[in-house]
Structures are given as C-alpha cells and as structure tokens.
C-alpha cells in the first residue's frame, strides 16, 4: 500500500510537470506571434482608380468579379460624389484632400501639374506622409492630364506614370525617371494589363524583401476613358447594351436650365447611334479592369496579406452619354457626372454592408492617412470615413438613447475658371434672370433701413421713392451732392495757387488762361461777331506741290497749264537709258500702266492701281515658276507681318496696363493739382447702383490670366487651321468623331460628325444635400442662373424647380453655399446634419431660420 501511494504520487507529479511544460511552450509561442504581428501591425493599402466611370448609366452591372470581391466582400457607399466632375481637378483633390478652390487646379489644363502645383500642393499629398512613416509607396497608371514625365512626384518609391492623357496603345510612361515608349502589341503594351502586372510584381517583391513593412499602392486605370480601345477577347461583348438610355436620355432642349442646356437640341440619328456604340466600347474596356481586380485579390490571398490589406475602389468622376441631348462628356453638376462608385474592404469591415452617408473624393487622403495611423493635417478639407466603417457594437437593451454617428449631409460641387471675371459691359455672357423680377428685388432692397430715409443719413447715396403709379424706384441722393459740390468748389479755389509739394506736369511755358466764366463770355462774344471776317487769312493759293514716288521726288507746278498724264521724254532723258525707255513705252502701251503716280506699290513686282485693280509684271503671268516664287514670297511677308502685328498688340496691351498718370497740359494750370485728388475722390466715393456694387475692377492677376488665355486661344486656332478643323464654335467646347478614331474592333464606319458638349460659361457652384428630409441640388452659375432640383420628386433632374422655392430658402442656401466656397480645412468644410445635439453651432447646416441677413440676389 505504501509503494502504491508513492507510485501514484510520482505519476501525478510527472503529469503536472508535463502540463507546465506545455503551458510554457504555448505562452512562448503566443508571445512570439504577438511580437511578429506588432512589427507588421499597420495594414497595406491598395487604391484602384478608374477614369470616367459612371454609376447612373449602369457600368458596374457588367463587372461581376469586382462586385463579388468589393461589394459583397466589403462595404459600399451609395452616396459617393466628387467635388469637381473633371479629371485633373478631381485627381488633385484625391491626392491633397482639398477642394478645388484650395488647390487651384480649376480645369484639365490650367494649373494641372503646373510648376505652382509641384511647388505648393504636390509635396503635401498623402503619399509624402506615408512614405515618411515607412510605407513602401508605389504608383501605377494615369496621374494627371498634363503630367509630362520630366520628374517623379515626391513621396513615391516606385513610379510608373502615364505621360499626358489616357491611352491604351501607343503611349509613353515614365518608369522611375526613364521614359518608356509602348506600341500596339496587346501582349506587351495594353495599358490595363501592363499596370496590373507591374503592381502585382512590386507587391510580391516588397513582401519578399521587406516582409514587415506595409505597402501602399495606387493602380490608376485609363478605362473607360477614351479612346475606349478594348482587349481583343472582349471586342464582341454587349452588342445590345442599353443601360445608358435613362429618362433623361435625349431629353432636350431644356429651356429651364443653364445656357448650354438651352442651346443643345435633340440628337440626330447618327449621334444616337454613336451613343450606343460608345457605351458598348466603354463596357468592353471595363472588363479588363474587372480581371485586374480579380488578379490583385488572388495575389493578396496567395501572399497571405488579404486580412491585413485595405482595398478601395472608386472613380475620378461620372459620365453622361446622351443625357439632356449631350452626346458625351462630363463637367455637368448633375448626378450622372458627380456620383461615382465607392467600395472598401479590409480588416473590421462588415462584408456586404451598405452605407448611405455622403462621402467625397476629398475624403480619400484623410482616410488613407487614418488607416496608416496618422492624423489628418489641418489644411485638408476632407474627413476620414473609417469611423463610418466600424461595425455596430452590441448595445445594452435597457439603453435606448444611442447617439447616431455625426456626419455631413451637404457637400460642395464646384467647376470652372474661377479667376476669370467678366467686365460689366460685356455682351457675350449677359446675366440670365431666372431669379426674382427686378421690381421684386427693388421692393426687397427698399426694406433695408439705409434706403428708407430721404437722404438724411450721413454718407447716404441712394434712396427709395414711390412714383405716381405706386412702384418703388431707387434714385441718387441729390441733396448731398450739392453740399459736396460746394466743398469741391471751395477746395478748387484754394488750390489755384502754385504748390511746390505736389508733383506737377512738365508742360513748358504756358500762357495765362482765363477762368471758366471769362472763357464763356468770350465764346458768346465770338458767336455774336461771326459776320465779321478778317481781311487776309490764308487767301493766297498754293503755287507748287512736291510728290515722292518710287524713291524720286517730283515738283509739280500748279500754276502751269495741265500737262499730259504721261510724258516719257522728260523722265527718260533724265533717269533712264534707251533699254529702260523701250520697256517703259511697252508698259505705257498696256491698258493698266503701273508707272503712274496714283498706283500703290505692294511688292517689287505688283501694284494696286487707282481703279482698285492689281497688276503685276508680265513675267509672273507667263512663267509658272515666277508665279510660284512670288506667291511664296507674299505668303512669307504676310506671316512676318502677322507676327509683327501680334507683337505690336502685346506691346499695346503692356502699355495699357502700365499707363502713367494723366497729364493734360491743354487744361488750365489749376487742374494739375486737382486731377489726382479727383481721381482719388472718385475711387473712394464711387456711386454704383446697389445691384452693381458687387462688380469690381479687374486686378493685375486677372489681366495676366486673360492675356495667357488669349494666347492659348490663338495657338488652338492655328492648330485648327492647320488641321482643317471646322468643328469649333465661339464659346463652345466641341469635338469631331470620324472613322479613324478607334484603332481596335468594333470599328465605327458611319462617317464623321461634330458635336458640342460644354460651354466656356459652364462655371458653377452647387450644394448637394441628402438627409432624412431633403435630397436636393442647388446651383449658382457664373452667369447668374439658378437651378434647384428636388430628387425626392425628380430623381433625374428633368425640371428646374427654382421658381417654386421660397425666397427665404434661396437666401439661406446662398449663404450656406458662400460658406463652403470659402472654407479651408476639415473643420470648416464639413457641415454636420441638422437635428443632432450639436444644433447649428457648426455654422454650415441647413436651417431656414438661422440667419437674418437676406441675399440681395444676382444682378440681371
């Protein structure tokens, strides 16, 4: 029994030791895994970007692989928008997290990848921040429209950037500083496959060489942007695609919308056939992107990085194909151009979740920084969407007052060349008046206290007066002008003396000039004595006249009798030999002699006669070689003169801008001191109509901008003339499509046509609001036109309902729009939803009772 107990104790002791050993080994293994995870705790980030991909026209319906991976495997945002529906401005906002009015890239040309962009905004992109914190950053694909490949943007360790705009074949990329040309071989050169393979290889190599360092990649596809060349295996897909035929398709003209929508009429049959063809080609290019997303997903699965990688899929803006009669394009403020697809998958993101929050392209940069564990810089206008992706926590059933997630319900949409200011007197873009009539605005303006008194307030310039018919009129205050006139009179009397302190004009010795009253009396006296004439004033006739012709000076005696028109003996004896005399006789024998003094010598061989006919030497008419040489000589002369005229115009414009102060010596001497003071007084006391007080003078920057714009127009016009392009109308953006546009099947063979898609005055600022009670779009155009759409009742923006909106609501929307147009930083640019606990303290939410100040409206 004793041995049995001892043996049992020994067995139990051994078993306990084994358990302790197992626990120790397991603990050591757990500790090692935690340490290894901590070294790679930051996730990888992959941004997949498409070009010109829409949501409203059904482009995502054909991308089944992408929808399965991103939509079913991640989160989708149904209200994703862009702040500017144009390529370069939207991409600049994605890189910097800023609105267009803060990074100043207004269009695809102006400031797009310019030196100022490279110096001020490019060093503050999200790539720079991630690269500084240890991320292996890489960019593959289209960067900015005007990127020329001369440099590598800061923040990117691996760089394969497309030079200039989108292409699928025959393009050039900048690969880590070296330009690499590609041809038309699909296996080696198709752009979508090239950047997909390069990005996958880079990710694999990075994880093999640096397994504990996170990777951030951008895969920027050219599809479905033009020229819409698809892969050969997809060239026969979607022969009957019709998703683009929405209720707004060919809905034209639209007389209740802004100018280009009024100008655009219904499409012709060839245009409608083109829209069907174009939509099919766009969908075919997206199938290659669909395969690319699947390849990236399979690579993440193979490397074991899927659960530690955030993948974001979106586009730079939407697109329209036939909507409102516009054949193709973007840049409109409507949902088909500003709404984009947006999907996110990654750690802690619930698969298949749908989020109705409004997100923008400016939220991409803050979100990527937040994923990397970095704070949002104060100059970025967007916000991170990570908190929207957090799964809902299990709440206590006894706790009913759960706070909702605070997020914006209004965004700013802006587009156009904001630096350009039209002069008040221009007749090209007149103010369109779809707002209140003038008498209503006068009535509203007269409600202000400063216009109700009869010119009694100090400094009052305008007053409201009711005429005999009962209508209110705005008149200048004339009583105050009399007082000011008296003051001006006394000042002018005091300033008649000479003053050495002020700068005077150097007019030489000027005689004394009488005062204004004396000069008036003298004029009256001269008018009464007009019947008395002086005796000898210019009564002697002219005796001779000197005339210069072809380098020779001829004296003409006017007192002699009229000589024959052509006397060859006098001229030939003095200036010509016999051979010249014979030639001259032959010339004079011709019907149109070229030696007569009344002709004008244009070239060394051609003249313009008195009867406006042209006559050249006989050699030009008889020899084709001489005719050709002289014609080429004239063309060169015309070109040289045109260049000289252009230079003279530039100098004239420079002189206008650098005009010195006026110095008119013809006026009386006391005006020398008076003129500068009057000029300053006019600047300080300008008396503009209240409707025109907002109009300001064009400053130097705007003048330089207009000058560069004029030169750019001249260059474009020369290119059009060389190409023989007649598809250009003033103020419109037009394009020509022909049979040679697409280089891959299916081919277009219905001939060429011209279509206009936008206008130079298509500059606007819009509010897009979505919340529990509102789903609206409110736009103010640079021409003064207003548009308002209620998408709850009109989801396709068919009818402009601005006339049905109360004036107070329009004033409130205008004030809110002005706040967003000038916002800087995410604290100002993200108004919160109304009805939350924050109330209206954020200063940007919609509330029709918030402000007391009313908007005076656009002039028109």
């Amino acid at each position: 029994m004793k041995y049995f107990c001892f043996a049992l104790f020994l067995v139990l002791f051994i078993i306990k030791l084994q358990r302790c050993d197992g626990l120790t080994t397991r603990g050591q293994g757990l500790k090692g895994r935690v340490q290894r995870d901590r070294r790679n705790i930051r996730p990888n980030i992959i941004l997949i970007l498409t070009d010109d991909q829409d949501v409203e026209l059904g482009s995502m319906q054909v991308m089944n692989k992408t929808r399965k991976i991103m939509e079913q495997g991640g989160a989708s945002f149904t209200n994703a928008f862009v702040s500017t529906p144009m390529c370069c401005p939207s991409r600049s906002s994605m890189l910097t997290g800023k609105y267009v009015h803060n990074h100043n890239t207004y269009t695809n040309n102006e400031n797009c990848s310019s030196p100022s962009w490279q110096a001020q905004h490019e060093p503050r992109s999200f790539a720079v921040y991630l690269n500084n914190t240890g991320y292996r950053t890489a960019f593959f694909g289209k960067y900015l429209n005007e990127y020329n490949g001369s440099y590598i943007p800061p923040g990117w360790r691996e760089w394969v950037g497309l030079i200039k705009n989108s292409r699928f074949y025959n393009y050039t990329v900048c690969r880590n500083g070296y330009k690499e040309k590609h041809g038309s071989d699909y296996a080696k050169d198709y752009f979508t496959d090239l950047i997909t393979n390069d990005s996958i290889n880079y990710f694999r190599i990075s994880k093999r060489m640096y397994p504990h360092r996170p990777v951030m990649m951008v895969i920027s596809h050219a599809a479905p942007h033009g020229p819409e060349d698809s892969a050969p295996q997809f060239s026969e897909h979607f022969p009957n695609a019709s998703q683009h035929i929405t209720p707004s398709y060919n809905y034209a003209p639209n007389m209740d919308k802004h100018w280009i929508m009024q100008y655009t009429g219904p499409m012709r049959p060839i245009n409608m056939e083109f829209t069907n063809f174009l939509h099919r080609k766009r969908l075919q290019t997206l199938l290659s992107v669909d395969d690319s997303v699947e390849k990236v997903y399979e690579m993440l699965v193979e490397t074991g990085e899927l659960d530690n990688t955030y993948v974001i899929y979106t586009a730079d803006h939407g697109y329209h194909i036939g909507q409102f009669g516009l054949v193709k394009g973007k840049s409109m403020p409507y949902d088909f151009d500003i709404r984009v697809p947006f999907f996110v998958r990654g750690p802690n993101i619930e698969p298949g979740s749908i989020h109705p929050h409004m997100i923008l392209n400016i939220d991409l940069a803050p979100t990527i920084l937040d994923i990397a564990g970095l704070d949002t810089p104060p100059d970025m206008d967007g916000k991170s969407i990570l908190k929207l992706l957090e799964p809902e926590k299990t709440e206590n059933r006894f706790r009913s007052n759960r706070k909702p997630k605070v997020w914006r319900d209004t965004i700013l949409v802006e587009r156009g060349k904001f630096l350009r200011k039209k002069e008040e007197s221009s007749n090209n873009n007149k103010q369109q008046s779809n707002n209140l009539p003038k008498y209503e605005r006068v009535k509203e303006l007269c409600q202000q206290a400063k216009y109700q008194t009869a010119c009694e307030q100090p400094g009052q310039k305008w007053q409201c007066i009711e005429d005999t018919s009962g209508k209110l009129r705005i008149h200048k205050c004339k009583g105050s002008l009399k007082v000011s006139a008296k003051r001006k009179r006394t000042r002018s009397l005091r300033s008649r003396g000479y003053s050495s302190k002020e700068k005077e004009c150097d007019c030489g010795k000027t005689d004394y000039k009488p005062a204004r009253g004396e000069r008036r009396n003298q004029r009256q006296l001269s008018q009464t004595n007009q019947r008395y004439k002086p005796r000898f004033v210019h009564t002697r006739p002219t005796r001779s006249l000197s005339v210069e012709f072809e380098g020779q000076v001829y004296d003409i005696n006017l007192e002699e009798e009229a000589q024959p028109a052509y006397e060859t003996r006098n001229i030939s004896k003095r200036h010509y030999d016999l051979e010249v005399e014979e030639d001259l006789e032959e010339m004079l024998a011709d019907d149109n002699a070229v030696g007569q003094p009344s002709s004008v010598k244009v070239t060394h061989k051609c003249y313009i006669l008195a009867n406006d006919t042209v006559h050249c030497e006989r050699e030009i008419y008889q020899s084709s070689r001489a005719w050709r040489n002289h014609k080429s000589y004239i063309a060169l002369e015309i070109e040289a003169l045109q260049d000289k005229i252009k230079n003279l115009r530039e100098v004239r414009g420079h002189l206008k801008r650098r005009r010195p102060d006026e110095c008119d010596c013809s006026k009386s001497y006391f005006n020398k001191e008076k003129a500068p003071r009057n000029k300053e007084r006019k600047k300080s006391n300008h008396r503009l109509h209240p409707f025109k007080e907002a109009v300001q003078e064009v400053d130097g920057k705007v003048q330089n901008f207009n000058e560069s714009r004029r030169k750019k127009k001249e260059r474009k016009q020369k290119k059009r003339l060389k190409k023989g392009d007649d598809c250009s109308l003033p103020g419109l953006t037009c394009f020509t499509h022909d049979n040679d546009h697409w280089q891959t099947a299916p081919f277009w063979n219905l001939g060429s046509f011209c279509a206009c898609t936008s206008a130079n005055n298509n500059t606007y600022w819009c509010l897009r609001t979505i919340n529990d009670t509102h789903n609206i779009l409110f736009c103010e155009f640079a021409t003064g036109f207003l548009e308002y759409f209620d998408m709850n009742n009109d989801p396709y923006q068919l009818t402009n309902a601005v006339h049905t909106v109360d004036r107070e609501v329009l004033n409130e929307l205008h004030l809110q729009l002005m706040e967003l147009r000038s916002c800087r930083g995410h604290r100002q640019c993200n108004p919160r939803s109304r009805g939350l606990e924050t109330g209206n303290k954020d200063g940007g939410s919609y509330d029709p009772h918030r402000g007391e100040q009313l908007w005076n409206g656009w002039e028109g």
Side-chain angles (χ1 to χ4, degrees), residues 5-36:
C5 292
F6 179 78
L8 181 62
F9 176 78
L10 185 61
V11 171
L12 294 174
F13 180 76
I14 293 172
I15 292 173
K16 189 173 183 180
L17 286 177
Q18 290 177 352
R19 289 180 178 178
C20 291
D21 263 348
L23 289 174
T24 304
T25 305
R26 186 180 304 172
Q28 290 177 354
L30 181 61
K31 183 178 180 180
R33 185 171 71 251
V34 170
Q35 290 178 351
R36 184 166 60 252

Side-chain angles (χ1 to χ4, degrees), residues 588-755:
L588 296 175
D590 199 347
D591 294 334
N592 296 324
V594 299
Q596 45 187 308
S598 58
S599 63
V600 178
K601 182 178 180 181
V602 180
T603 64
H604 59 285
K605 292 186 178 182
C606 293
Y607 298 82
I608 297 179
L609 305 181
N611 57 357
D612 293 336
T613 59
V614 180
H615 187 89
C616 300
E617 294 183 0
R618 293 182 180 180
E619 179 187 5
I620 296 177
Y621 300 121
Q622 296 175 356
S623 172
S624 61
R625 182 177 180 180
W627 175 87
R628 191 183 307 108
N629 293 339
H630 199 66
K631 186 173 180 294
S632 301
Y633 166 77
I634 292 175
L636 294 175
E637 287 290 321
I638 291 174
E639 186 176 354
L641 290 174
Q642 287 178 347
D643 293 340
K644 187 174 182 180
I645 290 174
K646 179 181 177 182
N647 296 333
L648 289 174
R649 286 177 177 173
E650 291 184 1
V651 173
R652 183 180 63 181
H654 171 75
L655 293 178
K656 285 182 179 180
R657 293 190 298 269
R658 301 295 299 271
R659 182 176 182 177
D661 295 336
E662 291 286 344
C663 182
D664 192 356
C665 299
S666 62
K667 297 182 180 180
S668 57
Y669 61 88
F670 57 83
N671 286 337
K672 299 176 184 178
E673 301 174 359
K674 183 179 177 181
R677 295 183 181 181
N678 288 342
K679 191 176 297 183
E680 294 177 359
R681 193 176 296 114
K682 287 182 180 179
K683 290 182 180 178
S684 59
N685 297 328
H686 60 283
R687 297 180 179 274
L688 295 176
H689 194 276
F691 291 164
K692 300 179 181 179
E693 288 181 353
V695 180
Q696 299 178 355
E697 295 181 357
V698 181
D699 54 6
K701 292 183 179 179
V702 179
Q703 289 182 355
N704 295 335
F705 174 79
N706 291 335
E707 186 67 18
S708 63
R709 183 169 170 267
R710 183 187 63 81
K711 294 179 181 179
K712 186 176 180 181
K713 279 187 176 181
E714 291 180 356
R715 291 195 298 268
K716 286 186 176 181
Q717 187 66 21
K718 288 183 179 179
K719 289 182 180 179
R720 291 193 187 102
L721 293 176
K722 289 181 180 180
K723 295 180 180 179
D725 183 13
D726 56 350
C727 181
S728 59
L729 296 175
L732 292 174
T733 303
C734 308
F735 74 96
T736 303
H737 187 88
D738 52 25
N739 296 344
D740 299 330
H741 181 74
W742 285 309
Q743 303 299 322
T744 59
F747 297 101
W748 173 262
N749 54 12
L750 297 181
S752 62
F753 65 89
C754 173

Side-chain angles (χ1 to χ4, degrees), residues 564-580:
Y566 312 107
E567 292 190 9
T568 59
R569 61 181 184 275
N570 295 333
I571 301 176
S572 60
K573 287 182 179 178
R574 295 180 182 179
H575 302 286
Y576 299 96
D577 54 10
L578 295 176
E579 295 179 359
V580 177

